[in-house]
Amino acid sequence: MITTTDLTKVYRSRGREVTAVADVNLHVRTGEVFGVIGRSGAGKSTLIRCLNLLERPTSGTVTIDGQDLTALAAHGVRAGRDLRRARTRVGMIFQHFNLLSARTVQGNVELPLEILGLTRRERARKALDLLDLVGLADRARAYPAQLSGGQKQRVGIARALAGDPKVLLSDEATSALDPETTRSVLRLLRELNERLGLTVVLITHEMDVVKAVCDSAALMEKGRITESGRVADLLATPGSRLARELFPLSGGTGGTGRTVVDITFHGDAAGQPVISQLARDHDVDVSILGAAMDTIGGRQTGRMRIELPGSAEENRETLRFLRERGLTVEIPGAAGAGVPAAEAPAGQTTDEGSAA
């Protein structure tokens, strides 16, 4: 649904240049929820504004649903008209809602419909349908000042859906909300994704958002995408930065004569008593240093850091036992220690370039 090729955005001011987005190649599948995560200043918001050309890229291309928007951004009245028409297929919701305080809730949703040229009756009917879709039909005559933060964001979502878009862009849409309201808005976005077949791109700095709702994700740093892929695949990829960020682990890197091992549980392996089997069948004294578990995509997933007696070389059979049970096994800081520092589950082929 969305493809960017070598997308770059450079800001120029007073003889200085700042590259906000650098050579980004992004691929978002039709019908998925895709999260772009990174720290403040990573270039996330600039990237999402380039996707609908609110920011004109310095170079590169943006293609949505097979149409090159950057080509439509060329000079000329007809090109501008075609770009505006193409933008109606891309809805956008904002961190600070951007509602008009002098208009009612219904009036805010009707605004893009006015621009599209619908009659008053058509606007009213569609706006009320959209408000019902987001659970605010009873607040149609209220004003933004009378709404909670979560309700304001639902109005913003209804407004973004007015043009019947195929793509919904969300720029930090939940960062100004409390945790419970955030969860309700994310549930709504997932419901809309499934019910309407929307492709959703979420910009966020919160890993919990990725865990709660995203099918795929990309990590953005200093204007570049450093890792991307399906969340389930990333969790099974040895050395994945996103996997470590999603499930951070505490604990040391092992003392003399001890080996620390990071294990990622995913798929069917997440429900198996692997550690107890290891201790029982191999007579191994396993120390659990830390663990982080959660539900992603309806399945329990997580990581655990354990400590084993003996060196990594002495634990070869133990590590093989873990991999044979479908776990991703990593030894922090073990490069060059005589055993692989990280390996995928047995039978799984890895591609070192797939996450880049």
Side-chain angles (χ1 to χ4, degrees), residues 3-286:
T3 300
T4 70
T5 304
D6 298 329
L7 188 67
T8 298
K9 176 63 180 180
V10 179
Y11 292 101
R12 296 180 175 89
S13 177
R14 299 179 181 179
R16 296 182 58 192
E17 290 189 351
V18 176
T19 302
V21 174
D23 299 319
V24 167
N25 294 288
L26 197 66
H27 304 278
V28 181
R29 298 175 179 85
T30 300
E32 74 174 346
V33 179
F34 192 103
V36 179
I37 190 160
R39 300 180 186 277
S40 297
K44 309 184 302 298
S45 291
T46 300
L47 172 62
I48 201 171
R49 291 172 66 85
C50 283
L51 293 184
N52 59 6
L53 269 66
L54 288 178
E55 292 282 358
R56 300 292 177 95
T58 304
S59 61
T61 63
V62 177
T63 302
I64 294 183
D65 196 23
Q67 189 168 36
D68 184 352
L69 298 192
T70 39
L72 296 179
H75 296 294
V77 174
R78 181 176 179 180
R81 186 168 57 247
D82 290 342
L83 177 59
R84 287 192 294 274
R85 187 179 301 114
R87 277 185 177 144
T88 64
R89 300 198 300 274
V90 184
M92 189 162 182
I93 54 179
F94 303 89
Q95 177 180 0
H96 297 296
F97 320 126
N98 291 5
L99 302 180
L100 299 177
S101 60
R103 280 183 174 241
T104 63
V105 165
Q106 181 177 334
N108 270 277
V109 178
E110 286 188 16
L111 179 60
L113 301 173
E114 292 177 24
I115 297 171
L116 290 172
L118 274 68
T119 66
R120 180 178 297 180
R121 179 174 296 178
E122 290 171 333
R123 295 197 304 265
R125 183 174 64 249
K126 186 158 189 177
L128 290 173
D129 286 344
L130 289 169
L131 288 172
D132 184 56
L133 185 64
V134 300
L136 284 180
D138 61 333
R139 304 293 283 164
R141 297 186 180 278
Y143 285 86
Q146 299 171 304
L147 303 180
S148 67
Q151 289 173 327
K152 290 176 183 178
Q153 196 55 279
R154 286 173 180 264
V155 176
I157 293 170
R159 181 184 57 190
L161 297 175
D164 297 321
K166 293 187 175 182
V167 173
L168 186 61
L169 306 178
S170 169
D171 188 7
E172 298 276 13
T174 60
S175 63
L177 306 176
D178 63 79
E180 181 55 39
T181 304
T182 292
R183 285 189 287 270
S184 71
V185 170
L186 292 177
R187 282 195 297 270
L188 173 61
L189 290 176
R190 174 53 85 178
E191 289 168 6
L192 295 172
N193 159 257
E194 295 173 350
R195 181 172 176 177
L196 304 179
L198 282 173
T199 301
V200 181
V201 179
L202 296 170
I203 295 296
T204 184
H205 63 272
E206 300 171 288
M207 283 292 171
D208 284 345
V209 171
V210 175
K211 286 195 283 188
V213 75
C214 292
D215 302 303
S216 299
L219 178 64
M220 195 166 189
E221 299 175 295
K222 298 180 180 180
R224 298 180 182 274
I225 298 295
T226 57
E227 187 177 20
S228 67
R230 292 184 182 274
V231 174
D233 294 339
L234 291 171
L235 289 170
T237 301
S240 167
R241 289 270 309 281
L242 268 170
R244 291 199 299 269
E245 294 288 342
L246 284 168
F247 295 98
L249 295 175
S250 59
T253 55
T256 304
R258 309 284 292 181
T259 301
V260 169
V261 182
D262 287 349
I263 304 168
T264 303
F265 296 81
H266 40 76
D268 294 335
Q272 301 300 316
V274 177
I275 301 302
S276 60
Q277 288 178 3
L278 173 64
R280 182 179 63 250
D281 297 348
H282 287 254
D283 194 24
V284 176
D285 182 15
V286 181

